[in-house]
Amino acid sequence: KQLTIIKPDEGLSKAPFYDTFHLLDMYFEVLTWKQGDPVVQMGNLQGSTQDRASFESFNYFKEKRYMAMLGIDEIHPLVRLNDHTKQAGMEFSAQEFASATRMQKQQVIPLLIDMANKGYLDYHTGTEQVTVKPRLRQHILASAGKVDYDVLQFNSKGQEGVNATLNLLNYDLALVGVSRIVVSDSQDVKIYPSDQRITIKKGRDFTFGGMVQAGKLQFHGKEYYFHYEPFVVDLLNVDSVSFYADAFEPDENGETALVRVKNVLEQVSGTLEIDQPSNKSGLQQEKYPQFPKFYSSKESF
């Protein structure tokens, strides 16, 4: 009475699992559920040398990964596909795409399978039909700095083949082995979960304990709640807040280092605003220089 779903690392099976409740792409090898059990396990095959799994936001984008797809071609494959949709629409055949780009069908099929695995299109091997997904144009626009995106990625190092568990009673997704989460690279906001554990809620919200670094502030506490859409962290149970300031004199390399201030704030509560909700990518950092902002019950920093 046990269901095991194994994802082979070949063909269209290289694509991640898509989680439409938590809005995550999930990269792991095997999903296991015992009938009647309220918990689904996600991780890697027993005996496998692989112990890592990755869970990425649907809006995740990195320019380095985008440019790596270019290879030796002068035209980016996503741009080539997008140009074809302007004439053919969002659905077409592999042969139609090959003819339009003056390539052999045998050349374009591996490209289409690779783009399908990356979530840019659906490719049906039987009919050789292609259906382009919105992500294709979103990433082209993100590369051009015309739409917002995020860098939210949860990297897990599993324990005994298990990286995450899904509670079927409340749909909480509990991850283990998460040592660090970069929430905003432009605003230098990082999370270091205590016991390397977090719990992801609906729509990429998540709870955790541990340390939050936000620019020149460090929060140490037992309970936080990250809200994805407003892009804020509720400080529910924080023991202390440490401050860093610029050193009075530059170091031997002529750079100004950060020095920890001895005084700390203790037993605080409030909200950390990471960035403008429409600027999760940090592309408009000059427009919103006031972030990140910490609002305690008494004052803001």
Side-chain angles (χ1 to χ4, degrees), residues 33-220:
W33 175 63
K34 188 174 181 179
Q35 186 174 345
D37 196 329
V39 172
V40 176
Q41 293 186 338
M42 306 170 189
N44 295 287
L45 291 165
Q46 290 289 341
S48 171
T49 56
Q50 177 64 263
D51 62 355
R52 298 184 181 275
S54 182
F55 303 79
E56 290 182 358
S57 165
F58 275 2
N59 289 346
Y60 180 87
F61 177 81
K62 277 287 187 180
E63 181 69 17
K64 184 177 180 181
R65 181 188 292 185
Y66 178 84
M67 293 308 298
M69 287 188 282
L70 182 60
I72 60 173
D73 200 340
E74 294 181 358
I75 302 176
H76 197 283
L78 296 189
V79 174
R80 194 186 294 274
L81 282 161
N82 188 55
D83 288 345
H84 183 63
T85 64
K86 295 173 182 177
Q87 302 295 329
M90 306 303 281
E91 296 185 16
F92 48 86
S93 70
Q95 183 59 62
E96 289 170 344
F97 178 63
S99 300
T101 54
R102 298 179 181 179
M103 298 170 67
Q104 296 295 318
K105 188 175 74 172
Q106 290 78 6
Q107 291 178 280
V108 303
I109 286 179
L111 168 65
L112 295 174
I113 290 175
D114 184 47
M115 294 299 103
N117 286 334
K118 291 179 168 67
Y120 295 115
L121 54 87
D122 285 327
Y123 178 69
H124 306 279
T125 54
T127 61
E128 298 184 342
Q129 286 295 117
V130 177
T131 303
V132 174
K133 292 183 176 181
R135 179 177 291 186
L136 185 143
R137 287 183 178 172
Q138 287 171 358
H139 280 199
I140 292 174
L141 292 172
S143 179
K146 294 182 178 180
V147 297
D148 195 30
Y149 56 85
D150 66 53
V151 296
L152 197 58
Q153 182 185 60
F154 309 97
N155 293 311
S156 160
K157 185 174 182 181
Q159 301 172 2
E160 297 181 356
V162 178
N163 297 84
T165 54
L166 175 66
N167 188 321
L168 297 178
L169 302 178
N170 57 14
Y171 305 118
D172 280 357
L173 181 66
L175 271 57
V176 299
V178 181
S179 59
R180 187 183 73 153
I181 304 164
V182 178
V183 181
S184 172
D185 47 9
S186 57
Q187 299 295 0
D188 192 26
V189 177
K190 304 180 183 71
I191 292 170
Y192 300 86
S194 56
D195 300 324
Q196 299 189 356
R197 295 175 179 269
I198 68 167
T199 301
I200 303 178
K201 309 284 186 176
K202 184 177 182 179
R204 293 164 290 200
D205 291 1
F206 60 91
T207 60
F208 63 98
M211 192 265 276
V212 178
Q213 176 191 318
K216 295 180 180 180
L217 300 176
Q218 279 190 355
F219 302 85
H220 303 265

Side-chain angles (χ1 to χ4, degrees), residues 212-219 241-244 272 294 301:
V212 178
Q213 176 191 318
K216 295 180 180 180
L217 300 176
Q218 279 190 355
F219 302 85
V241 183
S242 303
F243 301 84
Y244 284 80
L272 173 66
F294 163 47
F301 297 85

Side-chain angles (χ1 to χ4, degrees), residues 187 214 217 272-277 279 284-295 300-301:
Q187 299 295 0
L217 300 176
L272 173 66
E273 294 185 358
I274 300 166
D275 209 326
Q276 187 74 10
N279 189 42
Q284 304 180 69
Q285 191 172 4
E286 294 181 0
K287 187 177 179 180
Y288 303 108
Q290 69 273 29
F291 293 99
K293 293 192 295 185
F294 163 47
Y295 288 93
S300 63
F301 297 85

